[in-house]
Amino acid sequence: MPVGSRIVDFQDIVALSFSSNGLYLASAGKDGQVIVWDTASEKVVARYKVSTSIVDIAWSPISNLLAWTDMEGALVRWTSPIPSNLPSPCSPVGRSTGASKSKPPKDKAAHKELMALLGDEADASDKEEGEDLALTKDADEEEEDWVEDDMGGDYIKEEKEVFHEGGAREMVNVTKAQPPFQPGATPFKNKKRLLAFNKIGVVEVSDQDPHQVVNVEFHNRSLRTGYHFTDPLRFTMAAIGERGVAFAGPSEEHHPATLSYRPYESWTSNSDWEINLPPGEEPVAVAAGGLPYSKDFSSDDLGGDGYVALATSEQLIRFFSGGGVQKYIWAAEGDVVSMVAGPEWVFVLHREGGTSLDGCQNLRYSLISCKTFDMVREGRLPIQRNRTVTWIGITEEGAPAMYDSAGYMYILDRFRRPTQGRWVLLMNTNLLARKVGKEENYWPVGLSMKEFLCIILKGRDRYPGFPRPITQQIEVQMPLLSMDLPRVQHEERFLRDKMALTMEQDASHDETASSTAAKEVALDKILIQQIQQACKDDRMTRAVDLAEDLHHVKSIDAAKSVAGFYHKVGLQDKIDMLKERKESGDDEEGDVDPREGWGRVTAPIARSYASNGAGARPSNAAAFSKDFAPSAAPIRHSLALAKPIGEVPFTANRSKLTGAGSSSVIAPSVESSMEVDADS
């Protein structure tokens, strides 16, 4: 459509607004251009370039001001969009800007409310008549900025745009608080949605107004049997646990808010239960947990029917046993955002106060024991600005994990060690090799230290639809630097396996378990391969660093054999020193230097149940609340003088190590040198 001497495609316009006197028209386009037009001459008066999409735009009825809102929730005010040598956008038609003032609207209350929205309430209330709040310029500068071009050129020079010279940009950044969400849930699509989806099963809902049909399915049908039922209460959230499924729904006219729990199997009949919430209290998040079933399904299983945790709108978290007994009520420090439960504890996300202006959600986490209700761990979430949490869960190793809107997966490492828990970046899905050249997202379902169980969404989809896509397994890869190098790939594998082994050792009651010893041998094999590569590259310092992480004496002997094959006598001497320290037990915690153990408060919290789930035993977490007497003051040792380690001279002559035919010697087999008994 022609406008003046320009052609404007109105399909690219997202918002329009006339000034109060009709002299000017403001338009916002998809290209981020805010353009002010003179309606009489159909010429461009001023323009403004923004970096985000604009939602709506409006003129101030009492001042020379233009305001708009964008997709990021920001309110932007452009003062003095109309130059001072032109009529004011709020003055009556026919009266000049310099000689007159625009009268305020008749409905002062309505416009006062509008000005409060635009931020001009103070200015409007202090003046009986609305004045032109434009920042004036020199007449010469205005004449340079007001350039009319009837030949189709740019009407305002980019380097001398009005808003750069006389305009003032004021931003009120309102960070929207992330609403509560249920892990594994989706919104309605074609009258169907998911209430829960995890590694155990799926809860689907079909809307058949005025009721719903709930369908519960399990991935392992040999262990649990699926079922469906008619839901007149219209549940809006669900949680799948090891022992049962919890449902919760809001209040309606004919019934209050409700919590319902349905165990899978029970030794008695009538194990399902239901409870109503008091008026004014609505469910926000629900979680179901419990001990995993024993492998042999023995009759002496005392795991019960699990437990349920319900977060409400009153910032309360109510704990229930699997039989419906109310066990505890915790008043959270802020609004609960999400919650998930495992065999031992509940992982809760809640907001610390409100959001900040810089885009931070100010989220904290709490890890609460489901048996003793002790606060095992709490702290801030490592969520960066302008990001939100999209999923939380408990890994197969029992560690809390979370996934954010940018595709970063975090895991809480050393969570069983008091004062030692810290978040670790486990995975960056943006760096996956399969994502190169593709536009796809990943909807988490479950996580372990080796595999990421998810649904792959094509394009810009955020949630899976129906029929349900197939869940896929993606190998976990920590985002180390230079991952294209083979040695760095070995480092990543060792680091990830070492973290998993540490979690297993912290949870184990028997520190000499054969399973952990076998995993230590597997880790030593990875280290031996890296030591061999370091010898090839003549990186002796790197080889020593790798040898220090070896777990067994036989592994150290294998490393020494590799160093001997490559004639690295100095490395052999260093490895001999490491072996001597290992055999003498000097590498045990606290024996090398008493100062190394000063930061350790107490032992890790062992798993509260056997690894096969056969029965439960008291958790070490009870030690936190068993004795409320103040602990004894720690003994503050003075710093001892550091004793330098004597250097071992190179006694061998390197020239004797290089002889004819040495290049034909085959390196000793790593596998043969690593035959370590699991009980060693």
Side-chain angles (χ1 to χ4, degrees), residues 170-493:
E170 183 176 348
M171 175 171 291
V172 180
N173 191 357
V174 180
T175 303
K176 294 182 180 180
Q178 179 179 359
F181 71 93
Q182 195 71 20
T186 65
F188 270 109
K189 186 176 183 180
N190 298 328
K191 293 189 174 183
K192 297 188 71 175
R193 64 172 295 195
L194 295 175
L195 292 186
F197 196 148
N198 61 14
K199 61 183 181 180
I200 299 176
V202 184
V203 178
E204 294 182 358
V205 165
S206 298
D207 187 5
Q208 300 180 4
D209 195 28
H211 64 272
Q212 298 182 145
V213 175
V214 180
N215 183 35
V216 181
E217 297 180 3
F218 300 100
H219 305 309
N220 187 355
R221 298 181 180 180
S222 62
L223 183 61
R224 304 176 180 90
T225 304
Y227 58 91
H228 65 275
F229 62 93
T230 301
D231 171 29
L233 300 178
R234 302 185 67 85
F235 294 127
T236 58
M237 57 188 70
I240 307 174
E242 291 284 353
R243 301 275 174 154
V245 182
F247 301 90
S251 61
E252 295 185 359
E253 295 181 359
H254 56 280
H255 66 81
T258 307
L259 171 66
S260 176
Y261 186 63
R262 301 191 174 206
Y264 303 139
E265 302 289 343
S266 181
W267 57 274
T268 181
S269 60
N270 197 22
S271 58
D272 299 355
W273 55 269
E274 190 174 284
I275 192 169
N276 296 329
L277 271 65
E281 190 171 349
E282 301 291 336
V284 174
V286 66
L291 301 178
Y293 285 111
S294 58
K295 294 182 179 180
D296 54 357
F297 301 97
S298 58
S299 59
D300 60 347
D301 183 89
L302 297 177
D305 292 334
Y307 67 92
V308 180
L310 177 69
T312 70
S313 58
E314 297 295 320
Q315 296 184 2
L316 299 177
I317 300 181
R318 300 177 178 271
F319 292 85
F320 303 83
S321 68
V325 179
Q326 302 184 50
K327 305 288 289 186
Y328 197 70
I329 302 179
W330 175 44
E333 289 82 356
D335 297 333
V336 176
V337 176
S338 189
M339 186 168 57
V340 69
E344 301 174 85
W345 23 62
V346 181
F347 178 36
V348 183
L349 263 61
H350 54 89
R351 180 171 290 103
E352 184 180 21
T355 59
S356 58
L357 295 178
D358 60 355
C360 183
Q361 290 289 331
N362 291 333
L363 297 180
R364 295 183 63 88
Y365 76 94
S366 298
L367 203 60
I368 306 173
S369 171
C370 65
K371 198 171 187 66
T372 63
F373 309 108
D374 293 326
M375 186 69 69
V376 179
R377 178 86 56 245
E378 63 176 344
R380 291 181 61 89
L381 285 181
I383 294 296
Q384 299 184 22
R385 296 178 178 87
N386 301 319
R387 295 184 184 179
T388 57
V389 181
T390 59
W391 177 84
I392 61 172
I394 305 292
T395 67
E396 293 184 2
E397 295 80 10
M402 68 172 181
Y403 187 74
D404 68 10
S405 56
Y408 288 72
M409 179 70 75
Y410 298 87
I411 189 172
L412 188 62
D413 186 30
R414 309 187 188 191
F415 60 96
R416 295 183 183 273
R417 303 185 182 187
T419 72
Q420 294 297 317
R422 77 290 305 269
W423 288 98
V424 174
L425 180 58
L426 183 65
M427 190 177 185
N428 181 2
T429 58
N430 301 298
L431 302 178
L432 293 176
R434 60 162 292 120
K435 197 174 182 179
V436 176
K438 300 179 183 178
E439 187 175 7
E440 61 183 25
N441 298 312
Y442 308 95
W443 196 72
V445 175
L447 181 69
S448 69
M449 293 298 295
K450 293 185 177 181
E451 293 179 338
F452 174 40
L453 186 64
C454 65
I455 293 178
I456 299 178
L457 306 176
K458 301 299 182 180
R460 297 185 178 182
D461 292 341
R462 297 179 56 193
Y463 303 100
F466 294 92
R468 282 197 321 268
I470 300 175
T471 56
Q472 301 188 35
Q473 295 177 344
I474 298 178
E475 183 180 359
V476 172
Q477 188 177 78
M478 300 184 71
L480 300 186
L481 302 178
S482 303
M483 279 298 297
D484 55 329
L485 300 179
R487 62 178 180 84
V488 179
Q489 296 174 5
H490 284 87
E491 291 176 5
E492 187 275 335
R493 180 186 171 188

Side-chain angles (χ1 to χ4, degrees), residues 14 60 70 76 95 200 207 250 265 272 476 544 559-560 589 615:
V14 296
S60 170
D70 57 29
V76 182
R95 301 179 65 180
I200 299 176
D207 187 5
E265 302 289 343
D272 299 355
V476 172
V544 174
K560 182 180 178 181
E589 291 184 2

